[in-house]
Amino acid sequence: MLTLFYGPGACSMASHIVLEESGEKYEPRRMNLPGGDQRTPEYLKINPLGRVPALLLDDGSPLTENTAILPFLGKRFGLWPTDPLKEARALSIIGFFATSVHPAHGHIGRPERYTEDKAAFPGIQAMAKKSYHQYLKQTDAMLAGREWLSDAYSVLDPYALVFYAWGIRRELPVAELKHYTAFKDRMLKRPAVQRVIADEGVKL
């Protein structure tokens, strides 16, 4: 049985949704991130970086990073493209989310990771917020004329929902992104998404 370590409202929400969609029994382990659960010696043995998500596999070994966990779950549950080119495009989108969108948000919330000069924090945060908004606009354009990011519903879609939710948290005008907002509304009609949103207390 799989075990998911997740934090409410964190990027682990994507894997949480996928596991709920699967219908397969799994063990959810809710982490109190503000309380430092991710920095305990026990958790650092699972993920030395002290971040979520982390997935314990059937054999008890850990898997970390969305770029690994989401394709793994997608292939396990039939929520991943099987055509080689479509799979490459899916990996490209996951790469975009993990290496551009997510880090931009990280600069908003944790500027201390990037400089010791507190006087530089406001400038870092302002530029990061601008970049993050641009990435949301790019995602909006990717959804134009599409129901889902791939040809069918896949693990890409819960991942995209995370960043829409974070846009709301940062008080960005995400409602103006009509394709992305319509996508969010479609996601919210899915029972698995509803369960996870309620469990994690995410505002959408």
Side-chain angles (χ1 to χ4, degrees):
M1 183 171 67
L2 299 174
T3 299
L4 176 70
F5 293 85
Y6 73 98
C11 65
S12 51
M13 185 173 80
S15 297
H16 195 181
I17 290 172
V18 173
L19 283 162
E20 281 293 315
E21 293 275 15
S22 75
E24 184 175 302
K25 187 178 180 181
Y26 72 100
E27 183 179 353
R29 294 273 191 94
R30 186 185 181 106
M31 306 283 285
N32 178 2
L33 301 182
D37 284 357
Q38 74 278 24
R39 294 187 293 273
T40 63
E42 294 78 15
Y43 188 71
L44 290 174
K45 291 177 183 177
I46 295 168
N47 186 351
L49 291 177
R51 297 174 184 170
V52 292
L55 189 70
L56 289 186
L57 305 179
D58 300 290
D59 63 1
S61 62
L63 187 64
T64 61
E65 303 295 338
N66 284 311
T67 49
I69 292 172
L70 290 173
F72 170 79
L73 293 177
K75 291 177 182 182
R76 181 169 174 137
F77 302 133
L79 295 172
W80 186 255
T82 55
D83 175 79
L85 178 56
K86 291 175 182 177
E87 179 178 25
R89 287 175 174 155
L91 286 169
S92 176
I93 292 172
I94 282 186
F96 167 64
F97 286 157
T99 65
S100 295
V101 188
H102 193 157
H105 186 268
H107 281 71
I108 301 172
R110 297 184 179 88
E112 68 278 3
R113 286 184 175 177
Y114 308 100
T115 181
E116 295 180 347
D117 181 5
K118 292 184 178 180
F121 285 5
I124 290 173
Q125 290 173 311
M127 183 58 69
K129 194 170 184 178
K130 182 178 179 180
S131 297
Y132 188 74
H133 192 196
Q134 286 301 122
Y135 290 139
L136 296 186
K137 290 178 180 178
Q138 189 172 338
T139 306
D140 180 67
M142 290 162 60
L143 285 161
R146 306 185 67 90
E147 185 176 15
W148 309 114
L149 283 167
S150 192
D151 288 350
Y153 181 78
S154 72
V155 298
L156 301 175
D157 301 305
Y159 203 9
L161 187 66
V162 168
F163 302 117
Y164 189 98
W166 289 0
I168 293 173
R169 185 190 303 174
R170 299 302 176 188
E171 300 181 338
L172 290 169
V174 290
E176 296 176 2
L177 306 173
K178 67 176 185 176
H179 306 300
Y180 209 165
T181 298
F183 162 84
K184 178 265 297 183
D185 292 339
R186 287 192 294 275
M187 289 292 290
L188 289 178
K189 292 178 182 177
R190 302 183 71 88
V193 175
Q194 294 169 10
R195 291 193 298 272
V196 170
I197 293 300
D199 174 78
E200 298 196 13
V202 173
K203 179 182 177 182
L204 276 168

